[in-house]
Amino acid sequence: MMVIIKKPLAVLRHDLPASLVVFLVAVPLSLGIALASGAPIVAGLIAAVVGGVVAGALGGSPLQVSGPAAGLTVIMAETIATFGWATTCAITVAAGALQILLGLSRIARAALAISPAIVHGMLAGIGVTIVLGQLHVVLGGTAQSSALKNIAELPAQIVGHHDTAALIGVLTIGILLRWPRLPASVRKVPGPLAAIAVVTVLSVAAGMTLPRVDLPGDLLNIRFAPEFPDAGWGAFAVAVITIALIASVESLLSAVAVDKMHTGPRSNLDRELIGQGAANMTSGALGGLPVTGVIVRSSTNVAAGARTRVSAILHGVWILVFVAAFAGLIQNIPLAALAGLLVHVGAKLVNPGHMKQVLKHGDLGLYLVTLAGVVVFDLLTGVLLGIALSVLLMLRRTVWSGIHAERDGDEWRVVVEGVLTFLSVPRLSRVLATVPDGAKVTLELVVDYLDHAAFESLSNWQQGHERTGGKVTVDEVGHPWFANGKSGDPTLTRTAAMRSVPRFLAPWSDWQAKDVEVPGQRGGPTRRGATEFQRRTAALMQPALSKLAGGQSPHTLFITCGDARIVPNMITTSGPGDLFTVRNIGNLVPARRADPSMGATVEFAVGVLKVREIVVCGHSGCGAMQALATGAPDGAPMLASWLRHAEPSANRKVTVTLDGERPESEVNRLALQNVLQQLEHLRHYPLIAEAEARGELHLTGMYFDVGAAQVYLSDDESAAFTPVGAVTTTGANGSR
């Protein structure tokens, strides 16, 4: 019962006043849009009423307000000029039916695949076209049939004779430009309403003779206007599809934008499309303009405090009541005033913020092509040009490949990056042709995909180059696309390609050719690895390393074994400057004063660097623990001497578990005991004991299972090691 009471209160408190504000904005805009479209003036009011009531009640965006939109003025003017008004109404009805079918098919979100640059460019083109046409009306003339003709005739219109209509139009624009700078108390009245009201009163008081709004005397006697054509069904169908698609896209994008303005329920886009379709069928049947979601009215609705769809519905009711009761007042509005309002609305459609946004995303060209297409040709052509360009840009970005050749001492290096397909073969051939015959060449392939045509081009060039006495070494960074092709088992799709470990993490044996001398890389794998770092990694690391050039401030002293399989920064996902690392045989911490090297390490790390954590990391299959259990190998007396520091680990009797179980291997059990024993040795260093007592230092035991790639951490309260997270394995086809 409380819910039923609260809802009417919420409507009275929030939606009722919001609907009145939106109503005041909608009336002059609806009249102006009808004027710009070349439709009967009353058609704009019919669309406003139907958009508010029908789309508001049936749509899926609770706070969106629908009505005639400036975005359709150009296409509607062309449609009316081609088919006449009665057939245009039939087109609107059919477009609404198509929208309903699209909504029922649940593909509404597909409209969002259209690039925002195209949508913004379309709106800007519409805005420019409206401004060019309505400026003639403002200056006392008549709009021409196309934007180009409007541009050609505009200079003469500007310098020509201007009558009272020009004064009214310019005054309307001046009021609209000045209105946002007035005090907030004044700005509670919507600017469009204030401008139209002021110039209308002025024109009537001054007795100006100029064209005004013409409404039929029987506004409430609405007849069914649609008439289907006797011929030309192809053009009729194109018009239906055009209006349906443009109205749908504008409505859906407006709904998404409105969702970002409030925290209430989100839009159901499929339902919104059905609601817009029902509204267009109704509006067309009653002789109204097409309906779309309108961002100007919707944003006003949200800003005015609307909470439910009742606000949009009521705004349509107020328009109907106002038109029926005060038609005489509307007929006093000068057409030049509505033209001035449309010039202001059109100019606002060319949004500099949108241009900056698309420029940041690299889509300014797409925006400008769409804008120019709408202005020079028509709205549909402009949008299609934008879509075509976006497809071309998508293809270019998808199949991009970086190809360049450079001299490397006496040898050459050819680098190919990205996607290498038949589209890149001409450029690939040009670059390869610059390599002189007989040269030693390293061909570096850093490709995400290699198709048959590109493989054949590379393979044929390699064979031809080697026939001239040259030598080609193919170095594939990542999946072996080329090598698989050479072996007769090519990789066909990206999904079938193995996910490759980056070279800075992978062992040399995984990516360095052992049986081929690589040009310019004499000196072993270390030299080649250093060269790889300079070529691929140094530029990425340099900004971070430059910040560390003045000194280090690591947070962890990391003590681990010298085993080559343990990479501290990899298993802790850390980088330069994070770990102060000490490595020795068996990750041992000799008793205090037994090893000056470890004593110096502790003093520097804890006393000077002020590390906040010390980690002792052991690992599975440790050779030092094997030697401790079975004795040092013959001929290694110094190793035997060093392992005496680990004897306390061998003498420990505490049961240590790994993920709740004792390891089967004696060596691995000893490695776990060893980690805990070294932590005890560390706590005998006074500097560490004092810092730990103050809560400034934490000691952690770590164990790395090499074969499982699993890290374990010791429990501070018990002799147990628990796994950190879970390891996910990747198959050969990249699936998880």
Side-chain angles (χ1 to χ4, degrees):
M1 186 67 181
M2 290 297 293
V3 174
I4 297 176
I5 295 174
K6 282 183 178 180
K7 191 170 182 180
L9 290 177
V11 169
L12 290 174
R13 186 177 173 188
H14 300 288
D15 294 326
L16 179 60
S19 69
L20 292 171
V21 174
V22 179
F23 148 70
L24 295 175
V25 172
V27 170
L29 285 177
S30 301
L31 295 172
I33 290 167
L35 173 66
S37 301
I41 293 293
V42 71
L45 297 172
I46 292 172
V49 173
V50 173
V53 176
V54 178
L58 302 180
S61 181
L63 299 187
Q64 174 156 269
V65 181
S66 300
L72 278 171
T73 53
V74 177
I75 195 68
M76 289 308 300
E78 296 172 355
T79 305
I80 294 169
T82 303
F83 296 96
W85 176 242
T87 303
T88 299
C89 290
I91 290 172
T92 302
V93 173
L98 179 56
Q99 285 183 292
I100 292 177
L101 292 177
L102 292 174
L104 292 174
S105 65
R106 297 186 176 276
I107 62 170
R109 291 187 179 274
L112 302 181
I114 297 177
S115 169
I118 295 176
V119 177
H120 296 324
M122 177 191 74
L123 293 176
I126 292 168
V128 170
T129 305
I130 291 173
V131 170
L132 291 174
Q134 296 305 308
L135 271 178
H136 286 275
V137 180
V138 168
L139 297 175
T142 303
Q144 304 301 310
S145 59
S146 71
L148 293 180
K149 290 182 179 179
N150 281 321
I151 294 173
E153 299 291 334
L154 191 57
Q157 186 70 58
I158 293 175
V159 300
H161 173 70
H162 303 141
D163 54 16
T164 52
L167 173 64
I168 291 298
V170 172
L171 181 59
T172 303
I173 296 173
I175 294 173
L176 290 168
L177 292 175
R178 182 64 182 171
W179 200 256
R181 297 181 176 87
L182 296 179
S185 57
V186 177
R187 284 188 281 110
K188 289 182 179 180
V189 178
L193 177 66
I196 297 299
V198 168
V199 298
T200 299
V201 171
L202 176 62
S203 67
V204 172
M208 296 180 181
T209 301
L210 69 173
R212 300 179 187 272
V213 171
D214 183 21
L215 293 178
D218 54 347
L219 273 176
L220 296 181
N221 185 19
I222 299 175
R223 294 175 298 170
F224 287 87
E227 291 182 8
F228 289 93
D230 297 326
W233 286 99
F236 181 89
V238 170
V240 169
I241 294 172
T242 301
I243 292 174
L245 291 180
I246 293 175
S248 299
V249 170
E250 186 168 348
S251 297
L252 295 174
L253 291 176
S254 175
V256 172
V258 172
D259 281 349
K260 296 178 181 179
M261 299 177 185
H262 66 88
T263 58
R266 305 292 90 182
S267 297
N268 181 328
L269 296 183
D270 292 312
R271 177 180 169 182
E272 178 64 19
L273 207 51
I274 294 172
Q276 294 292 332
N280 274 318
M281 292 189 70
T282 306
S283 181
L286 297 177
L289 283 167
V291 170
T292 75
V294 185
I295 192 62
V296 175
R297 304 180 198 195
S298 302
S299 59
T300 301
N301 191 40
V302 175
R307 298 293 177 85
T308 71
R309 64 181 67 247
V310 173
S311 175
I313 297 172
L314 285 178
H315 116 278
V317 173
W318 303 144
I319 295 175
L320 178 62
V321 172
F322 178 82
V323 171
F326 303 103
L329 291 178
I330 295 177
Q331 290 179 312
N332 288 319
I333 299 175
L335 295 183
L338 296 179
L341 172 62
L342 284 170
V343 168
H344 182 260
V345 171
K348 292 184 71 174
L349 288 176
V350 187
N351 190 326
H354 291 161
M355 283 189 281
K356 292 179 181 178
Q357 186 179 27
V358 298
L359 177 61
K360 289 180 179 179
H361 288 273
D363 287 335
L364 183 60
L366 189 58
Y367 175 93
L368 294 176
V369 165
T370 306
L371 187 157
V374 172
V375 173
V376 175
F377 301 105
D378 54 60
L379 189 141
L380 179 59
T381 303
V383 171
L384 291 177
L385 285 173
I387 293 174
L389 180 58
S390 69
V391 171
L392 291 176
L393 291 174
M394 179 270 293
L395 288 174
R396 179 180 179 275
R397 291 164 180 168
T398 302
V399 303
W400 174 88
S401 56
I403 307 170
H404 69 275
E406 60 186 41
R407 198 176 188 89
D408 189 7
D410 295 331
E411 290 85 32
W412 282 74
R413 189 166 69 101
V414 178
V415 181
V416 182
E417 301 176 281
V419 176
L420 194 60
T421 67
F422 67 96
L423 296 173
S424 302
V425 168
R427 186 156 53 94
L428 175 65
S429 299
R430 286 197 301 271
V431 173
L432 293 176
T434 63
V435 179
D437 292 342
K440 291 184 178 181
V441 182
T442 300
L443 176 60
E444 293 189 9
L445 298 180
V446 194
V447 297
D448 301 316
Y449 176 72
L450 181 72
D451 75 355
H452 188 201
F455 167 77
E456 288 286 351
S457 179
L458 284 173
S459 181
N460 292 339
W461 172 81
Q462 181 186 22
Q463 294 172 12
H465 187 76
E466 290 178 344
R467 281 196 297 267
T468 67
K471 183 176 181 181
V472 179
T473 300
V474 180
D475 180 17
E476 296 198 77
V477 181
H479 182 76
W481 295 94
F482 188 75
N484 286 358
K486 295 284 281 187
S487 67
D489 186 23
T491 305
L492 302 181
T493 64
R494 290 187 185 183
T495 55
M498 294 183 298
R499 297 183 61 185
S500 302
V501 178
R503 286 191 170 180
F504 55 82
L505 292 179
W508 287 336
S509 58
D510 281 2
W511 62 272
Q512 291 197 24
K514 298 179 180 179
D515 55 346
V516 178
E517 179 186 350
V518 181
Q521 298 300 329
R522 293 176 298 278
T526 303
R527 181 184 178 106
R528 188 178 181 199
T531 303
E532 181 78 8
F533 167 78
Q534 290 301 141
R535 286 177 177 171
R536 304 194 186 282
T537 310
L540 301 175
M541 295 297 300
Q542 192 276 330
L545 290 172
S546 66
K547 298 177 183 178
L548 300 172
Q552 62 171 323
S553 57
H555 55 71
T556 299
L557 166 59
F558 198 90
I559 302 171
T560 191
C561 185
D563 193 295
R565 298 168 295 177
I566 308 304
V567 186
N569 290 106
M570 181 178 70
I571 65 176
T572 60
T573 314
S574 55
D578 294 333
L579 305 181
F580 187 72
T581 306
V582 175
R583 307 187 70 150
N584 60 43
I585 303 299
N587 46 272
L588 302 182
V589 179
R592 193 165 67 95
R593 294 193 179 90
D595 180 25
S597 175
M598 183 58 70
T601 297
V602 169
E603 287 181 358
F604 190 69
V606 179
V608 178
L609 298 178
K610 306 296 184 183
V611 297
R612 299 181 295 279
E613 181 182 36
I614 300 179
V615 174
V616 176
C617 178
H619 65 95
S620 62
C622 180
M625 296 300 102
Q626 179 69 47
L628 181 63
T630 61
D634 294 337
M638 298 186 71
L639 175 60
S641 176
W642 171 254
L643 289 178
R644 292 195 184 98
H645 297 300
E647 289 177 356
S649 300
N651 296 329
R652 286 176 61 92
K653 302 301 181 183
V654 179
T655 299
V656 183
T657 60
L658 187 68
D659 196 13
E661 298 180 358
R662 291 187 70 210
E664 294 182 3
S665 168
E666 179 186 356
V667 171
N668 292 344
R669 292 197 298 269
L670 188 53
L672 294 172
Q673 296 279 9
N674 185 58
V675 169
L676 298 179
Q677 184 63 44
Q678 305 318 307
L679 292 176
E680 291 186 15
H681 287 175
L682 283 170
R683 290 188 171 95
H684 286 90
Y685 284 78
L687 195 61
I688 292 176
E690 293 169 4
E692 191 176 26
R694 293 193 301 269
E696 299 172 355
L697 184 66
H698 183 263
L699 272 59
T700 300
M702 181 181 289
Y703 178 84
F704 183 60
D705 187 329
V706 176
Q710 177 67 60
V711 175
Y712 297 83
L713 296 179
S714 63
D715 189 309
D716 291 339
E717 304 297 330
S718 64
F721 285 77
T722 56
V724 178
V727 175
T728 302
T729 59
T730 303
N733 62 353
S735 62
R736 288 182 176 272

